[in-house]
């Protein structure tokens, strides 16, 4: 029997003249709705957050929300019709739904290009200041501003030292007190190449802002000194731009030897700071020292109705007290420019904002994409059909009464009180990193799906848009804006949130701080500088995946290793894998792996350890080629021979959610039922998802028996071979001989196209003869047959290369370190060797083998090391030290969005 509802029971109109409404609950097809003086019936099931027509809309007429157009009707749309575009139907069809979708869309996206009319422009008015500005209990940092927290920060200046600062921070885990909030690592993916990245200036500015942030009581920056961004460059940047770094204890540490010795050195430095930093006390500070970042992530249709208007209201209060509010996410304001500029300080600010929007769109076009690619699968599932709707809602973080005062570039220090816009991508974490670098000491984060985002040393207040989602995730969230949908006035909710704000900035823990996890991601490098290469890159085809012919070696040494017999094949190890499908699930996956390893589960069944692959992708990035690289890489790990049992852990609102991977696995003929599935958001938060992960592995492993071992020859070896930095000819010759032995015996060797070894004529002539070294595998493509392969590498990023190489299915990695040892791989063991005198002198303790003495015997010695690792008799040092990293490439057309 169809149900009947009054409109106010089931729907909301953001503005009176809208012709489509938002469903505040799931409504079944056939539901009768009474609206004003008429009634109408829904023609299809409408999910919570999705829209249905309340007025007749003729073809070509606009669909309106917030009285702004977000599409044009393709067909006559009657009251009660579920409105949908191509994008939302495509996103819903890969979901596991229990109802029928419309066969075709009834509207098409339509974006109006905003034109600034300078002749009619009038300067706006700012909200009046409070007669008696308020105060809070904070840290007076002098010229650096006012702190809301008191941390010691460890900064990896480039991606090469990311794992080092994490390892160092782990030595201080749990050390905090009443006036000291702990030691935190800021590791990121940028600046680790040898060539200058396009985001170098932006990265230096971000690092500089972090170093002098008022929430930091002391700071250590760590590099190797050979990267594209170094400590020396950072010191010069700080001095040239007047950052007051001399006002806090700080050191710059360059790694030049034994990892453990440097960790001990870093530990000593931090220990020297602990007492003086812990003695700093909170004092009464003016609220003018509050600088808030306004962000939204995992957005839904109600973000622009409840959550964003709420934090916009509170932002107005902060401005009235003399503080600063910082709005970001450039591409998530495209389509809402007219609203953003309704109240702006002056014509120059309006021009500057629009210039930033146009610059972002131009940069996206160089990479073959546009802002229309921004909304994630989670956004669409929760009712944000396109970038226009997402932008209109996001723009509501500026209350109509609050004036836009100025616009700044990413991570630029905020110059004066008021409401500012900062250029940044829509990627939440990348935007937040810039806002923190600009001086923000508190983050407001609106979320519809329930994002668990937190920054290491700035508290985040997470505001949820609906009561139902807040109740599901209340242990991980801070404030329920859904009460507005149930009748609580916005001003009353604003006062409640402002009171909570005063408590948090005075020291009360936010939900994210209580959970004890955080993430960092800087605006990632964009590969292209113009559109000159676009046509060729779009037309490029993947390699054919066939092995390359090599010079066979008739004299193959008799060597064996102890392999594990897994079904009809053999593997060097058996590992349990927790695979996060996006950056926001990564830290929860790390917690899951730590708990499983500590519990000992699976040991009796032959599982040596549990691993997770932390990365920054899956959301906030363009699609197309970049998305294909991402999907191919992660599926390569799900089906990797070292992985006995795997579980996918989604955040819940990403582009590449669990249903995305279920669909892709089915298309590849892989049974999704062999994997575990968990969701941070849909399972009810961090702790509930961790319990689900543990329950899956307990059940999946209980019936297993340990695999028997068997001595096998080198025909069962699959090796990834790479090198970084100078490669002496004798080492190249040893690598060549080893390659010929393995491949001639029937094994597999994969070399990345960017490896120094392929620049060595000694190696290529010995292995390939006169043939040119050309890629046979795409980046991250699994090999199907034994042989010799070269894998395409779109970047020179060491960790991205390791990640792609592991996805091919190789079970061991062997690298020559020509400058210094580098990060290992968290799943695939990396053996690091060197024949370079400076490396042998300074880094011997971190090498797995030193190539010394008679070079004629090096290949045999390397083979024996590989046999020991493959037999699980030896574990590479990078793996045992925890000096590992993982990062998925975006290719040559991937950009942040």
């Amino acid at each position: 029997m169809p149900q009947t509802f009054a409109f106010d029971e089931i729907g909301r109109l953001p503005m009176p003249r809208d012709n489509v409404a938002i469903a505040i609950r799931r409504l079944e097809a056939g539901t009768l709705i009474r609206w004003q003086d008429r009634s109408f019936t829904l023609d299809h099931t409408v999910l919570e957050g999705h829209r249905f027509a309340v007025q007749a809309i003729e073809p070509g007429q606009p669909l309106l929300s917030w009285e702004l157009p977000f599409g044009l009707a393709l067909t006559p749309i009657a009251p009660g019709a579920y409105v949908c575009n191509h994008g939302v139907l495509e996103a819903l069809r890969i979901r596991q739904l229990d109802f029928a979708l419309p066969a075709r869309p009834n509207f098409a996206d339509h974006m109006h290009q905003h034109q600034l009319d300078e002749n009619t422009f009038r300067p706006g008015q700012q909200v009046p200041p409070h007669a008696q500005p308020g105060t809070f209990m904070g840290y007076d940092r002098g010229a650096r501003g006012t702190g809301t927290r008191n941390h010691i920060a460890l900064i990896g200046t480039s991606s090469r030292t990311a794992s080092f600062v994490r390892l160092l921070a782990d030595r201080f885990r749990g050390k905090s007190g009443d006036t000291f909030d702990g030691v935190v690592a800021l590791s990121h993916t940028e600046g680790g190449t040898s060539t200058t990245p396009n985001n170098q200036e932006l990265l230096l500015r971000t690092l500089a802002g972090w170093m002098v942030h008022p929430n930091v009581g002391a700071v250590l920056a760590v590099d190797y000194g050979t990267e594209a961004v170094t400590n020396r460059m950072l010191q010069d940047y700080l001095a040239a731009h007047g950052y007051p770094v001399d006002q806090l204890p700080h050191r710059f540490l360059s790694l030049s030897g034994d990892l453990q010795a440097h960790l001990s050195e870093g530990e000593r430095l931090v220990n020297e700071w602990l007492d003086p930093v812990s003695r700093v006390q909170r004092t009464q500070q003016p609220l003018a020292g509050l600088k808030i970042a306004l962000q939204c992530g995992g957005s839904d249709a109600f973000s622009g109705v409840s959550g964003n208007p709420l934090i916009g209201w509170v932002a107005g209060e902060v401005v009235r007290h003399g503080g600063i509010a910082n709005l970001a996410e450039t591409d998530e304001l495209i389509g809402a420019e007219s609203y953003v500029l309704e109240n702006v300080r002056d014509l120059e600010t309006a021009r500057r904002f629009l210039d930033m929007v146009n610059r972002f769109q131009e940069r996206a076009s160089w990479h073959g994409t546009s802002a229309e690619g921004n909304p994630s699968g989670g956004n669409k599932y929760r009712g944000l059909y396109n970038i226009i709707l997402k932008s209109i809602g996001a723009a509501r973080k500026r209350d109509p009464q609050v004036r836009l005062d100025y616009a700044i570039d990413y991570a630029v220090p905020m110059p004066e009180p008021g409401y500012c816009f900062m250029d940044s991508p829509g990627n939440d974490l990348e935007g937040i990193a810039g806002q923190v670098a600009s001086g923000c000491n508190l983050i407001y984060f609106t979320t519809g799906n329930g994002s668990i985002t937190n920054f290491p040393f700035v508290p985040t207040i997470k505001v949820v848009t609906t009561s139902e989602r807040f109740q599901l995730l209340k242990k991980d969230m801070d404030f329920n804006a859904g009460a507005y949908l149930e009748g609580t006035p916005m001003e009353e909710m604003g006062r409640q949130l402002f009171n909570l704000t005063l408590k948090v900035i005075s020291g009360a823990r936010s939900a994210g701080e209580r959970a004890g996890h955080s993430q960092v991601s800087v605006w990632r490098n964009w590969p292209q500088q113009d559109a000159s290469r676009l046509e060729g890159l779009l037309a490029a085809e993947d390699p054919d995946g066939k092995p390359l012919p090599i010079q066979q070696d008739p004299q193959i040494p008799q060597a064996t290793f102890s392999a594990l017999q897994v079904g009809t094949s053999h593997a060097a190890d058996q590992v349990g894998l927790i695979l996060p499908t996006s950056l926001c699930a990564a830290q929860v996956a790390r917690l899951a792996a730590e708990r499983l390893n500590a519990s000992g589960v699976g040991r009796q069944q032959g599982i040596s350890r549990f691993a997770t692959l932390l990365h920054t992708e899956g959301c906030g990035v363009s699609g197309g080629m970049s998305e294909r690289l991402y999907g191919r890489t992660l599926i390569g790990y799900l089906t990797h021979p070292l992985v006995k049992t795997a579980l996918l852990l989604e955040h819940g609102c990403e582009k590449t959610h669990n249903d995305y991977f279920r669909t892709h696995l089915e298309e590849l003929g892989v049974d999704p039922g062999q994997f575990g599935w968990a969701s941070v958001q849909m399972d009810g938060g961090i702790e509930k998802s961790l319990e689900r992960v543990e329950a899956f592995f307990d059940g999946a492993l209980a019936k297993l028996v340990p695999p028997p071992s068997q001595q096998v020859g080198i025909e069962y070896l699959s090796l990834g071979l790479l090198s970084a930095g100078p490669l002496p000819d004798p080492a190249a010759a040893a690598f060549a001989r080893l390659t010929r032995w393995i491949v001639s015996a029937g094994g597999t060797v994969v070399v990345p196209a960017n490896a120094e070894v392929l620049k060595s004529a000694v190696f290529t002539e010995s292995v390939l003869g006169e043939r040119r070294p050309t890629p046979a595998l795409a980046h991250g493509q699994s090999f199907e047959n034994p042989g010799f392969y070269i894998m395409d590498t779109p970047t020179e990023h060491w960790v991205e290369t390791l990640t792609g190489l592991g996805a091919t299915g190789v079970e061991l990695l062997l690298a020559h370190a020509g400058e210094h040892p580098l990060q290992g791989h968290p799943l695939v063991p990396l053996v690091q060797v060197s024949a370079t005198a400076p490396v042998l002198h300074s880094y011997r303790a971190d090498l797995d083998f030193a190539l010394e003495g008679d070079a004629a015997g090096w290949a045999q010695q390397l083979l024996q090391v590989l046999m020991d690792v493959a037999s699980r008799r030896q574990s590479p040092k990078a793996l045992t030290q925890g000096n590992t990293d993982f990062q998925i490439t975006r290719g040559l057309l991937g950009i942040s969005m």
Side-chain angles (χ1 to χ4, degrees):
M1 186 74 180
Q3 291 184 293
T4 301
F5 294 100
F7 175 80
D8 289 345
E9 295 179 274
I10 52 83
R12 291 291 182 272
L13 281 181
M15 298 286 279
R17 291 197 294 270
D18 291 349
N19 54 15
V20 298
I22 304 171
I24 63 172
R25 51 167 290 182
R26 172 170 164 160
L27 301 170
E28 303 301 327
T31 298
L32 182 70
I33 297 172
R34 299 191 304 273
W35 185 68
Q36 295 182 350
D37 58 351
R38 72 197 81 159
S39 298
F40 51 79
T41 302
L42 295 182
D43 63 351
H44 287 86
T45 296
V46 180
L47 290 171
E48 180 189 40
H50 288 241
R51 287 168 165 80
F52 57 89
V54 295
Q55 297 177 13
I57 308 170
E58 296 301 317
Q61 288 188 336
L63 282 71
L64 303 175
S65 261
W66 290 277
E67 298 177 357
L68 294 172
F70 65 90
L72 298 178
L74 295 172
T75 62
I77 299 175
Y82 170 50
V83 298
C84 55
N85 60 357
H86 171 77
V88 80
L89 289 179
E90 189 177 57
L92 292 179
R93 283 183 180 127
I94 65 171
R95 297 280 187 169
Q96 297 181 325
L97 302 177
D98 60 357
F99 60 90
L101 292 167
R104 60 189 61 86
N106 54 13
F107 83 90
D109 300 342
H110 176 74
M111 185 179 294
H112 174 71
Q113 187 70 33
H114 180 77
Q115 298 293 327
L116 178 64
D117 188 343
E118 298 191 0
N119 293 322
T120 60
F121 176 84
R122 295 292 181 272
Q125 297 294 317
Q126 190 55 280
V127 290
H130 278 294
Q132 292 184 322
T135 62
F136 72 103
M137 298 301 291
Y139 297 98
D140 183 357
R141 307 291 196 185
R144 294 193 293 128
T146 306
T148 60
R149 292 294 183 268
N150 186 28
H151 286 277
I152 293 175
L154 312 176
I155 298 176
T157 304
S158 81
S159 60
R160 292 195 203 179
T161 51
S163 54
F164 178 90
V165 294
R166 290 196 296 265
L167 288 170
L168 183 54
D170 282 344
R171 295 190 173 198
F172 296 91
R173 190 180 293 189
K175 288 194 175 181
S176 61
D178 293 339
T179 59
F180 176 59
D181 297 300
V183 178
V184 294
L186 287 95
S187 58
H188 59 88
T189 61
E190 303 306 293
T193 57
S194 58
T195 56
T196 302
N198 292 327
N199 68 345
Q200 184 188 66
E201 167 80 12
L202 175 154
L203 177 56
L204 286 168
R205 193 162 62 229
T206 303
L207 298 173
W210 288 351
M211 286 199 73
V212 302
H213 195 278
N215 284 9
V216 173
V219 61
L220 175 68
V222 186
D223 76 343
Y224 275 100
T226 58
E227 307 96 321
V229 174
T230 64
N231 279 350
R232 181 71 264 169
M233 296 168 66
L234 178 54
Q235 287 176 273
D236 291 343
Y237 190 90
L238 287 159
H241 294 82
Y243 285 85
V245 71
D246 290 335
Q247 292 197 2
L248 80 161
H250 67 281
R251 285 288 298 274
F252 294 91
L253 174 65
S254 291
L255 306 183
S256 58
D258 181 353
L259 178 74
Q260 293 301 325
H262 277 303
L263 284 170
S264 296
E265 181 183 359
E267 186 175 12
R268 178 183 57 80
L269 287 170
V270 174
N271 276 322
E272 290 176 0
W273 292 333
L274 280 176
D275 183 63
V277 172
S278 299
R279 289 178 180 274
V280 178
Q281 299 294 312
R282 290 181 180 270
T283 57
Q284 195 170 66
Q285 299 293 318
L287 271 173
L290 181 58
K291 301 177 181 181
I292 60 171
L294 304 172
Q295 273 283 340
C296 56
S299 299
D300 69 358
F302 303 105
S303 294
V305 179
S306 61
N308 285 336
L310 174 60
I311 67 172
W313 189 95
V314 177
E317 282 298 291
V318 171
V319 171
R320 293 185 69 198
H321 282 281
I324 304 177
N326 181 311
L327 173 70
E329 301 181 288
T330 306
D331 51 321
E332 295 187 4
L333 296 174
I334 294 172
E337 296 94 337
S338 60
Y339 175 80
V340 174
L341 298 179
E342 278 180 357
N343 187 3
V344 62
R345 181 177 188 168
D346 51 37
L347 192 56
E348 180 56 34
T349 300
R351 290 181 186 136
R352 184 163 172 75
F353 169 76
L354 291 176
D355 286 346
M356 289 175 174
V357 170
N358 293 334
R359 182 175 63 187
F360 195 101
Q361 291 176 305
E362 180 183 27
R363 187 185 296 122
S365 72
W366 299 343
H367 298 80
T369 190
S370 68
E372 280 81 353
N374 173 291
S376 69
N379 292 149
K380 293 175 181 178
Y381 186 65
R382 296 278 291 170
L384 293 179
Y385 297 174
N386 56 28
I387 186 58
I388 308 165
L389 280 177
K390 189 172 183 179
S391 293
I392 295 170
R396 306 299 293 191
K397 292 193 287 288
R398 184 191 65 77
D399 186 271
Q401 303 303 313
V402 176
R403 183 183 69 188
L404 176 63
D405 288 314
Y406 51 92
I408 60 175
D409 282 323
Y410 185 86
V412 167
M414 292 179 287
E416 58 189 73
Y419 191 100
C420 83
F421 167 76
M422 185 196 77
D423 184 29
S424 84
N427 183 301
D428 312 329
L429 295 181
E430 295 181 20
I432 287 170
Q435 289 175 303
V436 169
S438 75
C440 291
N441 50 17
L442 177 71
I443 301 160
Y444 286 116
F445 194 94
T446 297
T447 179
N449 286 275
S451 293
I452 57 170
T453 295
N454 300 287
F455 192 81
F457 62 70
V458 177
T460 300
I461 294 178
K462 290 188 283 292
V463 176
V464 188
T465 62
T466 60
S467 295
E468 183 178 0
R469 189 54 63 109
F470 179 81
Q471 290 302 317
L472 179 67
L473 300 164
K474 60 184 177 182
K475 290 184 70 174
D476 301 310
M477 301 293 129
D478 294 281
F479 195 87
N480 177 25
Y484 174 72
L485 302 174
E486 296 153 9
T488 304
M490 184 63 71
E491 287 194 15
E492 180 180 333
M493 294 178 57
R495 285 190 293 271
Q496 293 172 6
L497 180 56
F498 192 72
N499 288 336
L500 173 63
T501 298
L502 293 177
K503 294 177 182 178
V504 170
I505 62 177
S506 296
R509 301 287 130 195
S510 66
E513 289 175 306
R514 294 193 298 271
H517 73 94
S518 59
Q519 308 95 353
V520 178
S521 189
V522 180
W523 192 345
R524 295 200 67 194
N525 187 43
W526 50 93
Q528 305 304 317
Q529 296 180 324
D530 54 40
S532 60
R533 301 179 61 196
L534 180 59
E535 185 177 354
L537 291 171
L538 290 174
E541 296 182 357
D542 287 339
D544 61 14
K546 297 178 180 178
L548 301 170
I550 71 158
Q551 308 275 82
Q552 296 291 316
D553 193 322
Q555 297 182 330
I556 303 170
Q558 296 299 310
T560 64
F561 67 97
S562 176
L564 299 175
Q565 191 170 348
V566 184
T568 58
S569 61
H570 295 79
D573 199 2
Q574 292 290 267
V575 179
L577 178 66
I578 303 100
L579 188 65
T581 65
S582 69
L583 71 169
C584 290
Q587 292 303 317
V588 182
R590 176 186 61 79
L591 291 171
E594 288 177 354
R595 282 166 56 156
L596 288 165
N597 282 323
S599 73
V601 66
R603 299 282 166 75
Q604 294 182 350
Q605 290 79 26
I607 300 296
S608 66
R609 59 192 169 91
F610 288 88
T612 189
L613 305 175
L614 310 184
H615 59 86
T616 65
E617 302 308 297
C619 202
V621 64
S622 54
M625 183 185 297
S626 178
E627 188 174 309
R628 290 193 297 274
L629 275 167
Y630 175 84
R632 180 169 64 216
T633 300
L634 289 195
I635 288 174
Y637 284 103
L638 284 174
T639 57
H640 197 282
L642 292 180
V643 174
K644 179 62 179 176
T645 309
L647 174 141
L648 294 92
L649 176 64
E650 70 171 11
H651 187 212
C653 56
E654 56 267 79
K655 285 186 177 182
T656 50
H657 44 73
N658 280 349
D659 284 341
Y660 171 96
F661 279 103
R662 283 191 183 96
T663 301
H664 280 265
L665 287 166
E666 289 172 348
E667 291 172 352
L668 293 169
V670 179
D671 178 15
Q674 67 184 282
F675 305 108
W677 305 85
S679 173
V680 177
Q681 293 172 357
M682 299 308 296
D683 291 335
I686 296 172
E687 192 57 39
K688 293 287 187 182
S689 64
L690 288 172
E691 291 171 2
R692 187 178 181 90
V693 172
E694 291 168 347
F696 165 75
F697 282 108
D698 283 341
L701 299 176
K703 302 174 184 178
L704 299 181
V705 296
S709 60
Q710 182 178 0
Q711 290 296 125
V712 298
I714 63 174
E715 67 271 20
Y716 286 93
L717 272 184
S718 57
L719 177 69
L721 190 69
L722 44 133
S723 56
L727 178 69
D729 285 348
F735 274 24
R737 195 173 187 190
L738 185 65
T739 297
R740 291 173 61 193
W741 284 345
I742 294 171
V743 176
S744 298
T748 300
V749 175
V750 183
V751 181
N754 63 6
E756 289 292 324
V757 71
L758 291 180
K759 299 176 184 177
S760 167
V762 171
F763 179 88
T764 57
E765 290 174 9
S766 175
V767 175
L768 294 170
E770 296 181 357
R771 301 180 190 89
R772 292 183 59 190
T774 55
L777 291 174
H779 187 90
Q781 179 184 356
S782 299
F783 60 83
E784 296 182 2
N785 297 296
F788 178 74
Y789 298 88
I790 296 173
M791 182 194 75
D792 186 33
T793 48
T795 73
E796 61 165 293
H797 194 292
W798 172 260
V799 179
E800 291 182 1
T801 300
L802 276 188
T803 299
L805 203 52
T808 66
V810 297
E811 297 181 46
L812 293 173
L813 298 165
L814 173 63
H816 182 272
E819 291 179 338
H820 56 78
L822 289 157
Q823 297 108 310
H825 193 289
L827 175 67
V828 185
L830 170 68
V831 175
Q832 297 197 65
V833 303
S834 186
T836 307
V839 176
L840 293 173
H841 177 266
S842 300
Y843 300 97
R844 182 181 294 268
D846 296 324
L847 296 173
D848 296 294
F849 189 75
L851 295 172
E852 298 176 299
D854 184 4
W858 288 358
Q860 184 66 53
Q861 293 167 338
L862 288 173
L863 182 59
Q864 185 56 52
V865 173
L866 294 177
M867 295 296 96
D868 289 341
V869 174
S871 299
R872 301 163 305 287
R873 291 190 297 266
Q874 177 180 338
S875 185
K877 291 185 178 178
L879 190 60
T880 57
Q881 293 169 337
N883 187 24
T884 61
D885 213 344
F886 185 88
Q887 182 58 40
I888 301 167
T889 186
R890 292 181 174 178
L892 294 174
L893 291 177
I895 60 164
S896 301
M897 301 191 72

